[in-house]
């Protein structure tokens, strides 16, 4: 059985109108998502706007999510940081706070050499907390291809990978060449990933529509293609926004449409042009069945 199985929501961070972290709303969001059936929570990732936070804010976000989960679901913390030392400190902090694991990017500030990638993960590994390596070659300068993951998988605490390359064939290659759990990392490949062996999904749009996302991934993992496809086609126009650089603004707007507003994004992320909001609204209404897709 996979350690991090099912739908893990990469949490947005609620902000007040003055751009202060709204910890009360964050706890409410965690409670609502758990009640809706999600399997895990992932704070302090890019969708959570961790890079805009002070260290004190980020620490309190992590603590708030772990306290709100109250052992009901695992919490996997995003540990990205400019230096390996800082990343190790966030892994240690997460372990001490009671996290079940961390989601860990490779070095993010430049194009690292392979020995630097391995040294980075080796340092994280020493903390003793389960690690989901995060492969995102679109936003960062390294692609954790299956041969690299096979070597990383020899580290005791690297147990999985969030696969965000966009190449669905990667899931099969990783499963064939490593013993890692594979978690779908981009929403618009979730059905395909579930059908071919991914055991988890680190999800964005389910911040707004958790029940629908959980049901879709369950059906895909069970191989119920016809039932899964019916849900997938409805949700897919929204899922495309998860693969867009403006995913944070888009998903926060979806949450507003879903009746769970979480405030603005922090600059440099600003409100989107009105035509983009109109597109999201159309996709949301189609997902809810209130308008035709034609």
């Amino acid at each position: 059985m996979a350690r991090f199985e099912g739908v893990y929501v990469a949490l947005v961070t609620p902000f007040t109108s003055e751009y202060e972290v709204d910890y009360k709303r964050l706890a409410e969001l965690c409670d609502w998502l758990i009640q809706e059936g999600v399997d895990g929570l992932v704070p302090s990732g890019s969708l959570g706007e961790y890079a805009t936070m002070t260290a004190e804010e980020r620490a309190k976000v992590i603590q708030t999510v772990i306290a709100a989960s109250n052992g009901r679901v695992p919490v996997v913390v995003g540990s990205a940081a400019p230096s390996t030392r800082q990343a190790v400190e966030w892994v240690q902090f997460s372990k001490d706070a009671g996290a079940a694991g961390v989601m860990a990017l490779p070095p993010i500030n430049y194009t690292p050499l392979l020995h630097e990638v391995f040294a980075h993960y080796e340092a994280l590994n020493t903390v003793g907390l389960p690690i989901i390596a995060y492969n995102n070659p679109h936003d960062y300068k390294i692609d954790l291809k299956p041969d690299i993951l096979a070597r990383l998988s020899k580290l005791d605490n690297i147990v999985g990978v969030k696969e965000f390359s966009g190449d669905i064939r990667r899931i099969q290659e990783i499963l064939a060449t490593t013993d890692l759990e594979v978690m779908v990392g981009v929403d618009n490949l979730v059905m395909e990933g579930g059908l071919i062996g991914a055991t988890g999904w680190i999800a964005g749009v389910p911040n707004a529509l958790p029940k629908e996302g959980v049901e879709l991934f369950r059906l895909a993992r069970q191989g119920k293609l016809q039932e899964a496809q019916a849900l997938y086609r409805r949700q897919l126009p929204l899922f495309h926004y998860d693969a867009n650089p403006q995913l944070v603004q888009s998903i926060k707007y979806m949450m507003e449409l879903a009746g769970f507003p979480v405030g603005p994004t922090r600059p440099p992320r600003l409100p989107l042009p009105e035509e983009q909001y109109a597109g999201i609204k159309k996709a949301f209404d189609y997902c809810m069945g209130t308008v035709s897709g034609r």
Side-chain angles (χ1 to χ4, degrees):
M1 184 176 176
R3 188 185 306 232
F4 300 113
E5 188 172 14
V7 179
Y8 279 60
V9 176
L11 294 167
V12 302
T13 300
F15 293 121
T16 69
S17 57
E18 290 78 33
Y19 304 109
E20 298 297 322
V21 179
D22 190 339
Y23 300 102
K24 180 176 182 292
R25 192 58 166 163
L26 177 60
E28 292 169 349
L29 172 60
C30 295
D31 190 59
W32 176 62
L33 292 173
I34 293 169
Q35 289 183 40
E36 291 288 286
V38 306
D39 300 288
L41 303 172
V42 185
S44 187
S46 55
L47 188 53
E49 301 176 77
Y50 80 89
T52 70
M53 295 182 194
T54 65
E56 292 76 17
E57 288 174 327
R58 187 173 178 181
K60 191 171 179 180
V61 162
I62 295 167
Q63 292 168 330
T64 298
V65 172
I66 291 172
S69 72
N70 195 26
R72 291 177 291 171
V73 299
V75 175
V76 173
V77 176
S79 64
S83 72
T84 297
R85 177 179 177 178
Q86 289 169 295
V88 168
E89 289 171 350
W90 283 117
V91 177
Q92 185 65 58
F93 178 87
S94 301
K95 181 182 180 182
D96 295 342
V102 291
M103 177 181 70
L105 283 162
I108 59 176
N109 284 346
Y110 73 113
T111 306
L113 299 173
L114 280 182
H115 75 281
E116 294 171 321
V117 172
F118 296 129
H120 179 78
Y121 280 109
E122 285 165 357
L124 302 183
N125 182 71
T126 63
V127 178
L129 194 62
I131 297 168
I132 300 167
Y134 181 5
N135 182 40
N136 182 354
H138 303 288
D139 295 325
Y140 303 101
K141 301 296 185 180
I142 184 72
D143 188 355
L144 300 179
K145 294 180 178 179
D147 60 325
I148 298 174
L149 290 170
R151 181 170 166 186
L152 287 176
S153 70
K154 293 180 171 58
L155 295 173
D156 292 342
N157 293 305
I158 296 189
V159 300
V161 58
K162 176 183 177 181
E163 171 39 36
F164 195 86
S165 71
D167 183 351
I168 196 64
R169 296 167 295 185
R170 285 284 186 90
I171 292 177
Q172 293 284 27
E173 294 170 5
I174 294 166
L175 291 172
T177 58
T178 79
D179 59 358
L180 296 175
E181 301 171 22
V182 179
M183 305 184 80
V184 179
V186 59
D187 288 0
N188 61 6
L189 287 177
V190 62
M191 187 186 75
E192 295 87 345
L195 286 169
I196 65 171
T199 52
W201 170 26
I202 296 182
V205 171
N207 275 280
L209 299 171
K211 189 173 293 184
E212 293 82 352
V214 168
E215 178 67 4
L216 169 59
F217 193 57
R218 181 185 68 81
L219 290 169
R221 289 194 64 202
Q222 291 175 350
K224 296 181 178 179
L225 178 58
Q226 186 173 354
E227 297 97 319
Q229 234 171 359
L231 283 176
Y232 191 44
R233 285 173 178 165
R234 283 281 174 185
Q235 296 180 60
L236 187 58
L238 287 175
F239 287 165
H240 289 319
Y241 288 99
D242 179 67
N244 185 288
Q246 286 73 46
L247 77 166
V248 186
Q249 296 99 314
S250 299
I251 290 172
K252 282 193 167 182
Y253 181 54
M254 293 175 205
M255 297 177 73
E256 182 180 329
L257 295 172
F260 201 105
V262 289
T265 53
R266 269 185 175 171
R269 291 187 181 274
L270 298 176
L272 301 175
E274 284 303 317
E275 60 269 21
Q276 292 191 38
Y277 285 126
I280 297 167
K281 177 69 162 58
K282 181 179 179 181
F284 187 89
D285 289 344
Y286 173 63
C287 180
M288 295 292 98
T290 57
V291 298
S292 169
R294 295 181 180 273

